[in-house]
Amino acid sequence: MDLAYRAELPREEFAARRQQVLAQMQPNSALLLFSEIEKRRNHDCHFSFRQDSYFWYLTGFNEPDAALLLVKTEQTEKAIVFLRPRDPLLETWNGRRLGVERAPQALEVNEAYSIDDFALHFPKMTQNLTALYHVPEYHLWGDKLIADSGVNFSQVLDWRPILSEMRLIKSPNEIRLMQQAGQITALAHIKAMQETRANRFEYEIEGDILHEFNRHGARFAAYNSIIAGGDNACILHYTENDQPLKDGELVLIDAGCEFAMYAGDITRTFPVNGKFSQAQREIYELVLKAQKRAIELLVPGNSIKQANDEVIRIKVQGLVDLGILQGDVEALIEQKAYRQFYMHGLGHWLGLDVHDVGEYGEERSRTLEVGMVITVEPGLYISQEANVPEQYRGIGVRIEDNLLMTEYGNKILTAAVPKEIEEIENLMGKK
């Protein structure tokens, strides 16, 4: 497989972000960010390391045990990195390190020091500064370093409002990476449809998806994949993935790759045997109708709340038509009777994290802007125990795509994977 399209953000973008942060900091202050640390899986084995998204956003540096210090005074503005020193013996066992000497040029920062000397340098660098942007208890190992340094500030400020708002609007370079994440994720969902059949285990389909991520240059999933056959689809965050898929049931797959640190996030629901039953078709078409209407509404100038209100109305009317809910549509909406079947929101921000950062406003009423990326994922979940007509019990359906807000409306980054019933059945019929 030709991976020539693999991309990284240019170093200049990280430097520009740091300058943007410095411009928003108050005079005579410092901002301190800590990296993620390695986490033990068992005994002397660790989970695969994944950098803290905020730290990555300002550094592009993918090693543990590091810190970024931004200093702003009337005389100067500096970016300083603390990181692990070179150690030939440990690097032979555990992998290469950038090291102090190479860090300033490689990361385009002013200075670099060993993280082991943090307590020595931090007091000098922050002497006479009045404010520190820091989030206590976000990284406990970093809190200990600050405490051991003996430095106190008259004012401690939260850096998250600054960085979260910056992360919410994607740059052209970020958008290119997210388009690739969406495309790879779409290819994996297509593969899942092609490989699904009765009596395969949910984890076998998960393996097919992860293989497709890998062979297109995305080594990791952005989150734990959900492969939910039958009634398992009514568990929103089902991740056991250990049951056999049964003929005549649906399977709900919520999976996304992580490409160059950015997440894709797609959900598709389809029949294990490749053909929707009448009851499955009715629920699926209702969710699809709601999603299509939401996509029409999710454009700059509108809000997630506006779209979700319309989605709720469509679903309640449809559930009444099917005899799953009884009563007046307006009264049922007012009573939130739909919550037993649709208990989550319509969508969320997407970026470095699958549930990305940024304020939503009350009831997700924030106005959408160009450069935001969101998911749109209406669903209906009718458990086996629900007091509804028998043919609908055990059916869970969710359909999810990723939308980029543009000056022309929205762009669906995940359109490559089918969601029309006829398209799904045709694809699965070619297995």
Side-chain angles (χ1 to χ4, degrees):
M1 171 65 66
D2 179 12
L3 300 181
Y5 59 78
R6 293 191 64 180
E8 295 179 349
L9 291 175
R11 283 286 154 204
E12 296 78 12
E13 184 146 338
F14 296 105
R17 290 170 179 172
R18 294 193 293 270
Q19 285 302 126
Q20 189 176 347
V21 172
L22 283 161
Q24 297 178 73
M25 291 166 56
Q26 69 181 41
N28 208 42
S29 67
L31 182 145
L32 188 56
L33 274 181
F34 291 100
S35 75
E36 191 53 85
I37 59 174
E38 291 184 304
K39 295 179 179 175
R40 192 169 67 92
R41 186 179 188 275
N42 55 45
H43 189 45
D44 59 351
C45 295
H46 290 80
F47 288 104
S48 295
F49 178 73
R50 203 278 188 183
Q51 188 58 276
D52 176 86
S53 295
Y54 284 113
F55 187 83
W56 173 267
Y57 185 75
L58 291 187
T59 66
F61 183 48
N62 198 39
E63 289 188 23
D65 306 324
L68 171 69
L69 178 66
L70 300 181
V71 176
K72 179 177 181 178
T73 68
E74 291 183 1
Q75 293 77 31
T76 186
E77 293 182 352
K78 281 186 178 182
I80 303 160
V81 167
F82 295 87
L83 69 166
R84 302 176 303 177
R86 297 292 305 277
D87 187 319
L89 178 59
L90 287 178
E91 289 181 58
T92 297
W93 283 94
N94 299 320
R96 299 179 180 88
R97 298 179 176 184
L98 177 61
V100 174
E101 294 77 12
R102 294 183 293 180
Q105 181 177 359
L107 301 178
E108 293 192 7
V109 296
N110 301 101
E111 300 170 14
Y113 300 92
S114 170
I115 192 69
D116 299 329
D117 297 328
F118 182 88
L120 174 66
H121 295 291
F122 183 64
K124 299 175 185 177
M125 294 170 176
T126 58
Q127 189 175 16
N128 300 323
L129 297 183
T130 56
L132 177 67
Y133 291 84
H134 171 62
V135 181
E137 300 184 5
Y138 187 75
H139 287 302
L140 295 179
W141 77 275
D143 291 349
K144 185 176 186 306
L145 285 181
I146 296 174
D148 290 346
S149 73
V151 178
N152 293 304
F153 292 84
S154 59
Q155 192 176 17
V156 177
L157 305 169
D158 192 335
W159 43 250
R160 286 175 295 188
I162 296 174
L163 291 182
S164 296
E165 285 301 296
M166 287 175 58
R167 283 175 56 182
L168 190 53
I169 305 298
K170 292 352 184 238
S171 71
N173 286 321
E174 289 181 291
I175 289 167
R176 281 191 280 272
L177 297 181
M178 294 197 70
Q179 287 177 315
Q180 192 64 50
Q183 180 66 16
I184 294 171
T185 300
L187 291 171
H189 278 263
I190 291 171
K191 184 69 171 178
M193 289 180 183
Q194 293 171 327
E195 297 298 328
T196 292
R197 60 181 180 274
N199 299 320
R200 292 197 79 195
F201 279 83
E202 294 163 338
Y203 58 74
E204 292 184 78
I205 307 304
E206 181 180 16
D208 293 330
I209 288 169
L210 294 175
H211 177 262
E212 201 71 5
F213 289 169
N214 278 204
R215 80 184 194 94
H216 291 292
R219 185 181 170 196
F220 300 107
Y223 54 94
N224 293 328
S225 300
I226 297 168
I227 318 294
D231 191 47
N232 293 335
C234 297
I235 302 171
L236 298 185
H237 291 153
Y238 173 83
T239 56
E240 285 84 352
N241 298 349
D242 61 358
Q243 297 300 304
L245 298 172
K246 298 177 183 178
D247 190 15
E249 293 187 338
L250 297 175
V251 56
L252 183 156
I253 297 180
D254 187 337
C257 79
E258 182 173 277
F259 179 77
M261 297 293 284
Y262 287 86
D265 185 8
I266 296 176
T267 306
R268 290 293 185 268
T269 310
F270 54 91
V272 171
N273 63 14
K275 290 290 183 181
F276 286 86
S277 70
Q278 182 59 33
Q280 291 167 352
R281 179 183 292 265
E282 288 168 351
I283 299 299
Y284 186 92
E285 287 181 337
L286 177 54
V287 175
L288 183 59
K289 178 181 179 181
Q291 199 221 25
K292 287 179 176 179
R293 179 59 180 148
I295 290 172
E296 291 177 354
L297 294 172
L298 289 169
V299 295
N302 287 349
S303 68
I304 296 175
K305 182 183 185 304
Q306 285 175 269
N308 193 46
D309 288 346
E310 186 72 8
V311 162
I312 289 169
R313 188 170 304 280
I314 290 170
K315 286 183 180 180
V316 171
Q317 181 65 64
L319 291 171
V320 168
D321 293 343
L322 294 175
I324 294 172
L325 285 175
Q326 290 82 36
D328 176 71
V329 169
E330 295 301 324
L332 290 168
I333 293 173
E334 181 69 24
Q335 298 161 12
K336 298 187 177 180
Y338 57 87
R339 292 288 291 176
Q340 60 183 308
F341 307 121
Y342 175 49
M343 61 290 292
H344 60 76
L346 179 62
H348 53 79
W349 309 132
L350 187 67
L352 287 170
D353 299 332
V354 66
H355 295 146
D356 211 30
V357 295
E359 290 294 325
Y360 286 99
E362 185 178 357
E363 296 185 344
R364 307 213 167 188
S365 59
R366 178 173 182 163
T367 300
L368 298 171
E369 302 174 41
V370 173
M372 293 177 172
V373 180
I374 62 173
T375 67
V376 52
E377 49 181 307
L380 286 172
Y381 314 91
I382 307 172
S383 76
Q384 292 283 8
E385 290 74 37
N387 184 21
V388 302
E390 185 176 358
Q391 67 268 28
Y392 300 119
R393 295 175 191 167
I395 294 178
V397 174
R398 183 165 65 251
I399 307 170
E400 178 181 21
D401 283 294
N402 306 158
L403 303 183
L404 166 67
M405 298 297 108
T406 78
E407 58 184 309
Y408 306 108
N410 66 48
K411 179 178 182 179
I412 305 176
L413 302 181
T414 50
V417 55
K419 59 185 177 185
E420 297 288 346
I421 286 179
E422 184 177 357
E423 292 175 339
I424 291 172
E425 291 184 342
N426 285 342
L427 176 64
M428 297 187 71
K430 296 177 182 177
K431 290 186 289 190

